[in-house]
Amino acid sequence: MSVVGVFGGVFSLITTYMMNIKNGQLIPMSLAVGILIILIYLANARHMLNLAAVMLCTLMGLFLLPSMFLSGGGIYSGMPLWFLLVIVFESILIEGKLKYFICSLSLILYSGLIYFAYVHPEFLTYFENDAMVFMDVGQSLVFVGVCVVSIISFELYMYSIALKKAETAAKEAERAKEDAQRANAAKSVFLASMSHEIRTPMGVILSMNEMIQRESNQESVLDYSKDVSASATSLLSIINDILDFSKIESGKMNIIENEYDLRAILDDIADIARVKKEETGLNFEMKVDPNLPRKVFGDDLRIKQCLLNLISNAFKYTQRGQVIFEVNGVKNNENVQISFAVTDTGIGIKPEERDKLFSSFERLDETKNKNIQGTGLGLNITNRLLNLMGSKLEVDSTYGKGSCFHFTVSQKIIDDTLIFETHKDREDKKTISSTFKAPGANVLVVDDSKLNIKVFCSLLKNSEMNIDTALSGSEAVGAVRDKKYDIIFLDHMMPEMDGEETLDKLKEENILNETPVIMLTANALVGMKEHFIEAGFTDYLSKPIEYKLLEEMLIKYLNK
Ligand code: ADP
């Protein structure tokens, strides 16, 4: 705009001079062009754009043009057109509130000047003749017209550039979003296969190790095997933590509710806590409200996971004293509010570190705790699981004295029988039992890994069952055609025909005759349980196979 101004000004100067228009404008016009050149210099070379704009508008608009109006013909000249151009200039160049101030000032000034020219024509200098008036109006019209067209074209051009940039940015954002979604999907696939790939060999390690513990009499071998078991279990728990964490992060963690036996969870926790009690020499006490109902509706697996996290922390971060696990319930109509609290006499938590407690990968008191194993994920996962169940983890702690972690969940009551009504003391129950027997029961186990089949058969070798094996889906179909089985264990991932396809084939040939089919899977991802049940499996057992769960499953489905 300023460049157009300079060219226009010079053009006006030349025509005024050449045509010998005597309107006393030569000096003010030269001054205007001079000021414009200085301001262009300030704005571009000195980067003082705003100052230059304000100076341009005030100097030209408020001083130079009024004086040119008075000395150059008033309204009998092209000056009113210039007034208009200046106001357009001001509205584009000046920013913020100052724009409205200066534009209003100019409007008032120019209207005042026109009124003044009407009332006091004697103070104005006019052109000598009409030809000059027409000349001046003509050249002003051309110049102001060119300026206005340039300004509007330029603004439209800038607008189209901004529009194109915005379109490109939007396209890029869309592409970035697609990339992120693809990466996230790839992460899920990676996690699913990692879960499968790692859990399978871990299962073999744990099961084989269990066989060593059962069969070896050698003290030193048993000692080594105990260490293998401890390390493998802790590795498995780290893998599980990382998988859980990734699942929660990617929003794929679902709460799966079903009917469950509250006493069974508490018994399991008591078993695990007693092992920890023996390992650490700490005192462990469990106080359970006898008025709690026995069967409720909720996600027992996740509640157990939260409780085990808290209890394992309590044992980890307590050197002497005791760990107390309390469970209380308040019934209201159909629901029971169950409060769980784990209290320890351990190291406690500094008030200033309380905020870091639930952050992922954060551990407190690092120097003091450097010998204690942990990833800093447990409490984060626990709290987020509780959030998914509409609860939250709360902590009361005194540094150096101990901590109490507690939470409350609301569960629907399914069976109001009191929790201890048929309670048997499980204190003497051995961790590894192999007393289960089902003489003559026909079992088929299908897995493409010979090692997995070996593990499965070894776990059940004292059960007196007839265990047939098949290394593929088609082999399994052949076996079922020839013999009636009481239960079939079918691996998920197999080459050629996988577990689901094999089940479909068995159903298609109508040779199952109500035989329960249990899916064996290392794929621990969420939603799988419903998926397998929907696919027609009776139940599923996750690998690495825990002997206790396998036994429970056999008791459940072989009972008749
Ligand atoms: P970690 O795997 O490190 O145990 P958690 O998320 O379970 O991770 O716990 C985070 C941190 O909170 C721990 O590193 C520890 O410093 C602190 N903490 C957890 N439980 C207790 C407790 N019962 N007493 C004292 N500090 C605890």
Side-chain angles (χ1 to χ4, degrees):
M1 279 159 52
S2 306
V3 171
V4 172
V6 171
F7 280 115
V10 172
F11 169 74
S12 274
L13 266 176
I14 294 170
T15 43
T16 308
Y17 179 74
M18 295 236 305
M19 303 208 140
N20 206 13
I21 302 171
K22 298 240 169 22
N23 61 353
Q25 300 285 48
L26 275 179
I27 298 174
M29 271 165 73
S30 315
L31 213 62
V33 172
I35 293 174
L36 257 184
I37 293 173
I38 294 171
L39 294 181
I40 289 176
Y41 167 77
L42 273 185
N44 294 288
R46 294 293 172 95
H47 301 291
M48 295 155 98
L49 186 65
N50 252 340
L51 180 74
V54 174
M55 276 172 66
L56 175 75
C57 296
T58 42
L59 283 177
M60 304 263 286
L62 302 182
F63 294 105
L64 209 65
L65 280 199
S67 88
M68 284 165 81
F69 177 81
L70 294 175
S71 62
I75 62 156
Y76 302 108
S77 70
M79 283 317 289
L81 289 167
W82 289 86
F83 287 162
L84 185 69
L85 180 67
V86 165
I87 291 170
V88 173
F89 244 71
E90 287 170 346
S91 71
I92 289 176
L93 275 188
I94 303 176
E95 295 192 333
K97 282 186 191 146
L98 197 59
K99 171 192 355 216
Y100 299 104
F101 177 70
I102 290 188
C103 284
S104 314
L105 204 65
S106 306
L107 272 177
I108 294 167
L109 181 67
Y110 299 153
S111 327
L113 276 172
I114 289 169
Y115 179 69
F116 178 78
Y118 172 68
V119 182
H120 293 292
E122 68 277 15
F123 286 109
L124 273 80
T125 315
Y126 295 100
F127 288 108
E128 284 168 4
N129 52 46
D130 277 357
M132 284 184 183
V133 174
F134 279 86
M135 230 5 254
D136 191 63
V137 171
Q139 62 138 322
S140 299
L141 186 68
V142 170
F143 177 69
V144 171
V146 168
C147 267
V148 170
V149 169
S150 312
I151 291 169
I152 292 176
S153 311
F154 184 71
E155 287 293 311
L156 285 175
Y157 170 69
M158 295 302 280
Y159 176 69
S160 75
I161 289 184
L163 211 63
K164 264 188 208 136
K165 270 193 190 156
E167 271 170 18
T168 324
K171 267 189 204 144
E172 266 168 24
E174 187 60 31
R175 217 173 299 135
K177 192 175 141 202
E178 279 167 15
D179 283 352
Q181 278 168 343
R182 251 198 309 276
N184 200 26
K187 191 180 91 178
S188 301
V189 172
F190 168 72
L191 279 177
S193 59
M194 186 175 99
S195 131
H196 184 255
E197 297 304 324
I198 300 181
R199 283 165 147 258
T200 307
M202 284 302 292
V204 177
I205 295 173
L206 279 165
S207 313
M208 285 299 162
N209 196 50
E210 200 167 308
M211 298 315 299
I212 296 174
Q213 281 179 15
R214 279 197 213 171
E215 290 176 9
S216 172
N217 300 322
Q218 236 176 301
E219 197 80 355
S220 60
V221 172
L222 284 172
D223 264 359
Y224 298 146
S225 153
K226 235 182 178 171
D227 291 345
V228 171
S229 167
S231 299
T233 313
S234 101
L235 180 57
L236 200 58
S237 100
I238 292 174
I239 294 166
N240 287 341
D241 267 5
I242 292 176
L243 280 175
D244 279 351
F245 177 71
S246 320
K247 270 185 270 169
I248 295 175
E249 282 283 281
S250 58
K252 288 204 176 125
M253 177 67 87
N254 295 326
I255 293 301
I256 301 169
E257 296 186 310
N258 47 252
E259 285 180 26
Y260 69 92
D261 188 336
L262 186 56
R263 203 187 72 196
I265 306 194
L266 299 183
D267 280 350
D268 287 349
I269 291 175
D271 279 350
I272 294 170
R274 277 186 197 111
V275 174
K276 291 208 178 285
K277 172 185 162 175
E278 270 158 38
E279 280 168 7
T280 56
L282 294 172
N283 194 15
F284 174 72
E285 234 182 274
M286 188 160 157
K287 297 178 186 166
V288 179
D289 180 350
N291 291 319
L292 279 166
R294 182 159 167 198
K295 273 210 167 152
V296 290
F297 189 80
D299 191 336
D300 51 335
L301 280 181
R302 296 301 172 193
I303 291 179
K304 191 166 142 189
Q305 180 179 357
C306 293
L307 290 172
L308 286 178
N309 251 332
L310 299 182
I311 289 179
S312 125
N313 275 353
F315 277 101
K316 266 197 317 193
Y317 300 105
T318 303
Q319 263 112 36
R320 65 188 74 84
Q322 59 182 1
V323 173
I324 300 172
F325 174 42
E326 270 178 279
V327 191
N328 287 300
V330 179
K331 287 181 201 166
N332 52 9
N333 304 329
E334 292 178 346
N335 292 326
V336 54
Q337 308 284 332
I338 312 177
S339 315
F340 298 93
V342 180
T343 314
D344 62 53
T345 52
I347 56 174
I349 295 149
K350 291 180 189 159
E352 65 271 23
E353 295 213 292
R354 192 79 63 97
D355 291 344
K356 289 203 279 176
L357 209 55
F358 299 156
S359 341
S360 45
F361 300 106
E362 283 257 28
R363 309 196 65 210
L364 316 182
D365 238 342
E366 293 263 18
T367 37
K368 223 172 172 183
N369 293 336
K370 70 172 182 287
N371 293 327
I372 302 176
Q373 260 194 3
T375 51
L377 279 179
L379 288 184
N380 177 285
I381 294 173
T382 305
N383 190 39
R384 284 163 67 161
L385 285 175
L386 289 174
N387 290 164
L388 289 176
M389 290 188 265
S391 171
K392 68 174 196 256
L393 184 58
E394 293 184 90
V395 195
D396 306 318
S397 180
T398 314
Y399 187 59
K401 289 226 165 102
S403 319
C404 172
F405 287 80
H406 52 101
F407 65 88
T408 304
V409 283
S410 171
Q411 310 273 274
K412 204 168 136 207
I413 302 170
I414 299 290
D415 177 356
D416 214 359
T417 316
L418 294 184
I419 190 159
F420 289 127
E421 237 157 65
T422 46
H423 184 78
K424 282 189 239 109
D425 193 7
R426 291 163 50 132
E427 188 102 41
D428 299 330
K429 191 175 171 294
K430 285 191 188 129
T431 349
I432 299 168
S433 85
S434 54
T435 50
F436 172 78
K437 285 190 176 33
N442 290 316
V443 179
L444 175 66
V445 53
V446 190
D447 197 315
D448 60 309
S449 148
K450 280 188 182 152
L451 207 54
N452 280 346
I453 288 196
K454 190 171 158 203
V455 168
F456 188 92
C457 296
S458 321
L459 286 173
L460 295 175
K461 85 175 172 199
N462 298 326
S463 67
E464 294 175 20
M465 301 191 294
N466 307 320
I467 304 177
D468 290 349
T469 63
L471 285 167
S472 69
S474 47
E475 221 179 280
V477 175
V480 179
R481 267 193 214 123
D482 296 343
K483 186 168 169 183
K484 161 97 183 75
Y485 287 99
D486 297 307
I487 190 163
I488 299 173
F489 290 89
L490 194 49
D491 182 36
H492 184 202
M493 303 285 196
M494 289 187 293
E496 290 167 31
M497 253 207 277
D498 70 14
E500 287 179 46
E501 286 162 346
T502 309
L503 180 70
D504 288 345
K505 182 95 180 126
L506 291 171
K507 286 196 167 160
E508 203 181 289
E509 295 202 8
N510 214 2
I511 46 179
L512 265 181
N513 300 323
E514 314 270 298
T515 307
V517 184
I518 314 295
M519 162 67 88
L520 294 177
T521 179
N523 196 342
L525 282 189
V526 162
M528 279 314 201
K529 181 174 172 182
E530 293 96 327
H531 175 78
F532 295 142
I533 306 291
E534 255 169 44
F537 286 89
T538 316
D539 211 327
Y540 88 111
L541 196 58
S542 104
K543 292 203 277 188
I545 297 172
E546 260 182 63
Y547 177 75
K548 215 176 105 207
L549 293 180
L550 174 61
E551 191 186 283
E552 274 171 20
M553 201 143 287
L554 286 165
I555 291 172
K556 188 167 170 191
Y557 295 109
L558 279 182
N559 221 2
K560 289 167 239 151

